[in-house]
Amino acid sequence: MTEETLFSKIIDKSLPSDMVYQDDLVTAFRDINPAAPTHILIVPNRIIPTVDDVQDSDEATMGRMLRVARDLAREEGIAESGYRLIINCREHGRQEVPHLHMHLLGGRDLGFMVAREK
Ligand code: 5GP
């Protein structure tokens, strides 16, 4: 059995969150420390630690995450102005929580995608 994660406890509601969406494959909730006016995390209900751990059988879940991101962006009123989807992976990606999650960020100009080395 896969160990529980912070996000699996949010998914099963044993930890509180500002949840905005849940279905059979994915859950979405607002980031506790938002970096933009809209900052929502979209996570697979199945515990997948990183993008590198995604299985071929997770394809439907990965597609669902994108569809839910599209719908939530529309609901948040940021679809027209634009937004950014980010999935961090492991150390160089600065992934903090070992449960795959996609950030949906918008509501302001987000600047350049990645800080460039000087
Ligand atoms: P990462 O750096 O792993 O891509 O992003 C982890 C995100 O999870 C961070 O943006 C952080 O603010 C958010 N986060 C960490 N702990 C909690 C929590 O307990 N609840 C919620 N809603 N978000 C959290």
Side-chain angles (χ1 to χ4, degrees):
M1 197 186 107
T2 316
E3 273 183 39
E4 284 190 325
T5 67
L6 177 64
F7 290 168
S8 71
K9 291 179 193 165
I10 287 176
I11 290 163
D12 71 19
K13 300 190 174 89
S14 57
L15 271 183
S17 76
D18 188 353
M19 195 177 286
V20 293
Y21 181 84
Q22 186 164 53
D23 65 24
D24 57 325
L25 293 179
V26 307
T27 299
F29 49 90
R30 292 189 194 279
D31 197 288
I32 204 166
N33 185 22
T38 290
H39 190 170
I40 293 171
L41 301 175
I42 301 161
V43 310
N45 294 341
R46 181 175 104 71
I47 299 174
I48 304 170
T50 78
V51 172
D52 189 53
D53 301 298
V54 169
Q55 307 291 305
D56 290 357
S57 55
D58 290 316
E59 203 169 311
T61 304
M62 297 303 106
R64 184 73 59 87
M65 286 170 68
L66 269 182
R67 183 163 69 73
V68 168
R70 178 202 65 186
D71 292 345
L72 288 174
R74 289 177 181 171
E75 282 172 29
E76 292 285 306
I78 59 171
E80 294 287 322
S81 52
Y83 52 90
R84 186 170 292 156
L85 301 173
I86 299 174
I87 300 176
N88 295 320
C89 181
R90 295 188 175 147
E91 190 182 345
H92 281 187
R94 299 281 187 113
Q95 181 179 0
E96 288 171 8
V97 179
H99 184 144
L100 173 62
H101 48 283
M102 183 161 65
H103 299 254
L104 166 61
L105 291 150
R108 67 169 173 83
D109 182 348
L110 296 166
F112 291 112
M113 184 173 66
V114 176
R116 293 184 186 273
E117 281 184 315
K118 293 205 169 134

